[in-house]
Amino acid sequence: MVDHRPFGRTGVRISSLTLGAMNFGQRGNPDHEDSIRIIHRALDEGINAIDTADVYSDGESEEIVGKALAGGRRDEVFLATKFHGQVGDNPQHRGNSRRWIVRAVENSLRRLRTDWIDLYQAHRPEPDTDFDETLGALTDLVRQGKIRYIGTSTFEPSAIVEGQWIAQRRGRERVVSEQPPYSILARGIEREVLPVAQRYGLAVIPWSPLAGGWLSGRYHGGLQAPISRRAGRLPARFDPALPANAAKLAVVDELTALADEAGLSLIHLAIAFVLEHPAVTSAIIGPRTLAHLESQLGAAKVTLSRDVLDRIDAIVPPGTTLNPADAGYQPPPLADPAYRRRGGSSAQSTVVAS
């Protein structure tokens, strides 16, 4: 059974592992009944938090989660979902505006078969939309009882702080959590995001503790990265011909040897590393099969020794992200030259798989 930790300063406690539902639906496991069995198995093991998003398989993931909880298990689950990315073909069905949020939440409530969402998260920043616009809409939803708490995902530390100040100055509901990418291979959030979260008492629920599968045991012995649908969608993160990914392969070999020496699977080493940080509330695991889930559950019981943690630091120094593409979000001023030139036009942010 997994342990439970405080969810920031809300008074809620959630399991140290959160079941991520990104791989349920056409994007991963299209078998609804099999996905429901995985969800029920996770709940039976003490996991009480589920995280999904409206963009995962264009809402199919939310539908599967809704089916799984329809048999009387909704009350025992801390249910989180996200908005921001485009759902379907209509380019208006996206973003962090009030106009889209009030529609998106109704769609998610319907698919999830519930009257309320425990944690409603902005899936990515949207610099062209006033953050107060977003928080104003979300505050109204809290006061209407449609959502309980507000969260963000993959926000820059400056935006996290801005959200706290807006809440204080404008009388908005406060953002209570951040969901960033975090793994041994992507440690960039250790520089500012995690200290900022601790300073403001935010819960932190990292995504991709297995680094998109790089720390699953499939990548080893200098072999080229396995072919997968995810690798096809995100070549910048998985193409072994790229120097940053070649560096990841070399590091994975070192970590595999360390895990073997410590008597652990690489999966358990990777997830336990994320859970070790005092700022982390719960690590999101995203199994596609029941076997994947079973291989990850035991990580919540693992405690890494100081020696093992020091050796991980020697392999990947604190604050280091080996491949910048694994950061999950690139601010438009870096991604679009127009932001750096007079007369240029701004660009919209995009959701990267998480």
Side-chain angles (χ1 to χ4, degrees):
M1 300 291 286
V2 299
D3 63 328
H4 293 76
R5 300 178 174 186
F7 189 74
R9 296 175 182 162
T10 64
V12 174
R13 297 181 70 88
I14 69 169
S15 48
S16 57
L17 296 179
T18 291
L19 181 66
M22 185 183 75
N23 285 319
F24 300 149
Q26 291 301 317
R27 184 173 178 168
N29 185 345
D31 187 329
H32 286 209
E33 292 306 315
D34 188 45
S35 297
I36 290 169
R37 281 191 291 272
I38 295 170
I39 294 170
H40 287 171
R41 172 68 174 141
L43 297 181
D44 291 342
E45 285 297 311
I47 290 177
N48 73 341
I50 298 177
D51 177 80
T52 184
D54 56 7
V55 292
Y56 295 162
S57 297
D58 273 343
E60 188 180 5
S61 170
E62 289 185 327
E63 292 175 355
I64 292 170
V65 171
K67 289 180 183 178
L69 301 182
R73 307 197 76 164
R74 171 64 187 94
D75 286 346
E76 66 185 89
V77 170
F78 186 84
L79 183 58
T81 192
K82 301 183 284 290
F83 65 90
H84 169 81
Q86 183 172 323
V87 181
D89 298 326
N90 190 327
Q92 299 298 319
H93 292 177
R94 67 169 312 282
N96 296 358
S97 69
R98 173 180 289 272
R99 185 177 190 274
W100 174 240
I101 289 169
V102 297
R103 178 168 181 176
V105 74
E106 296 296 342
N107 293 339
S108 289
L109 288 167
R110 183 186 70 253
R111 288 189 291 258
L112 291 166
R113 303 187 186 189
T114 185
D115 294 327
W116 82 97
I117 293 163
D118 292 291
L119 179 65
Y120 201 41
Q121 304 157 102
H123 206 162
R124 290 295 186 276
E126 190 167 70
D128 292 344
T129 300
D130 188 345
F131 201 177
D132 184 49
E133 160 97 357
T134 302
L135 289 181
L138 294 171
T139 295
D140 288 345
L141 295 179
V142 170
R143 294 173 183 174
Q144 293 165 14
K146 294 180 179 180
I147 67 175
R148 299 290 190 259
Y149 302 105
I150 300 168
T152 57
S153 177
T154 321
F155 271 46
E156 297 286 291
S158 59
I160 295 172
V161 173
E162 181 187 4
Q164 299 300 303
W165 278 98
I166 289 172
Q168 184 180 59
R169 291 178 173 179
R170 300 282 293 167
R172 307 302 192 192
E173 291 289 326
R174 193 174 73 94
V175 173
V176 302
S177 67
E178 162 62 10
Q179 185 184 127
Y182 188 34
S183 70
I184 298 175
L185 305 185
R187 302 182 62 174
I189 65 167
E190 292 173 343
R191 293 179 178 272
E192 288 192 82
V193 171
L194 293 180
V196 165
Q198 288 177 295
R199 189 173 306 132
Y200 287 96
L202 304 186
V204 178
I205 44 175
W207 55 268
S208 204
L210 298 182
W214 283 90
L215 299 175
S216 67
R218 298 178 65 205
Y219 301 68
H220 58 84
L223 299 176
Q224 288 200 341
I227 296 173
S228 69
R229 280 184 287 183
R230 180 183 293 180
R233 290 195 310 268
L234 303 168
R237 294 179 61 192
F238 294 93
D239 184 352
L242 298 177
N245 292 330
K248 288 197 293 189
L249 279 173
V251 164
V252 167
D253 283 345
E254 293 187 70
L255 293 172
T256 300
L258 176 59
D260 289 343
E261 187 177 328
L264 299 170
S265 69
L266 183 58
I267 288 174
H268 283 190
L269 177 79
I271 297 174
F273 167 83
V274 169
L275 292 175
E276 186 69 31
H277 197 289
V280 170
T281 305
S282 179
I284 298 175
I285 57 173
R288 181 173 53 82
T289 68
L290 188 59
H292 290 166
L293 175 65
E294 298 289 356
S295 71
Q296 297 171 42
L297 284 172
K301 302 176 183 177
V302 173
T303 300
L304 300 180
S305 69
R306 287 180 179 269
D307 176 64
V308 169
L309 291 169
D310 288 344
R311 291 177 65 183
I312 290 173
D313 286 349
I315 296 170
V316 181
T320 300
T321 294
L322 295 174
N323 183 347
D326 291 334
Y329 172 76
Q330 189 173 27
L334 300 182
D336 186 350
Y339 278 87
R340 304 188 295 274
R341 298 169 186 170
R342 290 186 181 276
S345 60
S346 60
Q348 292 177 326
S349 60
T350 56
V351 169
V352 179
S354 65

